[in-house]
Amino acid sequence: MSHLNEERGGCDGRRGKRDECGQINRAHEFFAEMIDVGIEPNSITFNNLMCVHVKAGRTEKVLQMYNQMQKLSCTLDAITYNFLIESHCRDKNRKKTIKVLNSMVKKSCTPNAYSFNPIFMCILKSKDMNAAHRLFARMKELNVKPNTVTYNILMMMFADSKSVDMVIKLKREMDESEVKLNVNSYRI
């Protein structure tokens, strides 16, 4: 088997965790088999494996996949960067998320709302209104269109801070941009 088929660990005996670890193990075994038969993994292959690790909260594994992608000169796309951002957000490491976002832009990979939303969630949890304003301005500077989730997170944050004017401004902007409301929009 390939050097990528390494010891997994992390299974604690609970059914949900066992099932999750089984899926991760199967994904790694399949990945190793691909390499063993001479199939070069591509961005899609790596992104699928990264997705499994992001869902399991395994940032170190996500970073290993990212490093492996770079070694093999695989294209790093928005999905790859979004998984890195989401992993760092799960670890509450906002500084690294911003670093990944900046790297993404520097390498001419266009971010999207899915790149920003986990960072906004991170900011929501820390209640850092200034960071929210800066990030939203950066999003607009990069011509990234906010989606319903983006607006919901921001409106929730400003509602919690009793900044009603900002909530109304965001709602108006949402209407003008023809971004549709969802169930969560009405709970704010």
Side-chain angles (χ1 to χ4, degrees):
M1 281 296 212
S2 163
H3 64 283
L4 290 172
N5 191 15
E6 57 199 35
E7 184 177 323
R8 308 301 184 286
C11 298
D12 66 3
R14 290 181 289 169
R15 186 183 189 311
K17 282 287 184 189
R18 240 187 350 258
D19 291 346
E20 184 178 276
C21 287
Q23 291 174 348
I24 291 170
N25 289 343
R26 282 191 300 280
H28 272 282
E29 287 167 6
F30 183 72
F31 189 74
E33 285 175 31
M34 284 178 60
I35 291 171
D36 288 344
V37 297
I39 299 172
E40 286 275 324
N42 60 19
S43 299
I44 296 168
T45 310
F46 276 110
N47 286 340
N48 281 313
L49 198 51
M50 287 175 83
C51 180
V52 171
H53 289 301
V54 168
K55 287 180 181 177
R58 296 173 143 192
T59 302
E60 72 286 346
K61 296 290 187 184
V62 172
L63 295 173
Q64 284 176 4
M65 293 293 103
Y66 170 73
N67 291 331
Q68 192 68 26
M69 285 178 81
Q70 289 183 308
K71 283 180 194 171
L72 296 173
S73 300
C74 284
T75 303
L76 304 175
D77 59 15
I79 295 168
T80 307
Y81 286 109
N82 290 350
F83 284 142
L84 290 169
I85 288 169
E86 188 174 342
S87 290
H88 289 308
C89 285
R90 283 178 177 244
D91 292 345
K92 298 178 178 95
N93 194 333
R94 199 166 75 211
K95 203 176 256 187
K96 283 188 179 177
T97 64
I98 299 301
K99 189 175 177 180
V100 171
L101 182 66
N102 290 336
S103 174
M104 182 180 192
V105 171
K106 186 178 177 182
K107 294 180 181 177
S108 300
C109 184
T110 307
N112 53 39
Y114 298 102
S115 308
F116 284 87
N117 290 345
I119 305 172
F120 281 124
M121 280 303 294
C122 214
I123 292 170
L124 170 70
K125 291 174 185 170
S126 68
K127 299 179 182 184
D128 186 346
M129 305 307 289
N130 291 329
H133 281 289
R134 284 191 309 272
L135 189 64
F136 196 54
R138 172 85 173 166
M139 188 177 195
K140 288 181 174 185
E141 172 190 311
L142 294 170
N143 294 315
V144 176
K145 186 179 178 188
N147 63 16
T148 305
V149 174
T150 310
Y151 282 112
N152 286 348
I153 294 167
L154 290 169
M155 288 190 298
M156 191 175 358
M157 184 183 314
F158 288 113
D160 287 348
S161 72
K162 311 286 189 249
S163 183
V164 178
D165 291 343
M166 202 53 202
V167 174
I168 292 169
K169 180 181 175 188
L170 288 166
K171 169 63 174 81
R172 192 172 298 128
E173 186 177 314
M174 196 175 179
D175 291 340
E176 288 168 3
S177 301
E178 297 181 7
V179 176
K180 297 193 185 306
L181 299 171
N182 66 14
V183 173
N184 294 321
S185 306
Y186 294 101
R187 292 181 181 163
I188 298 170

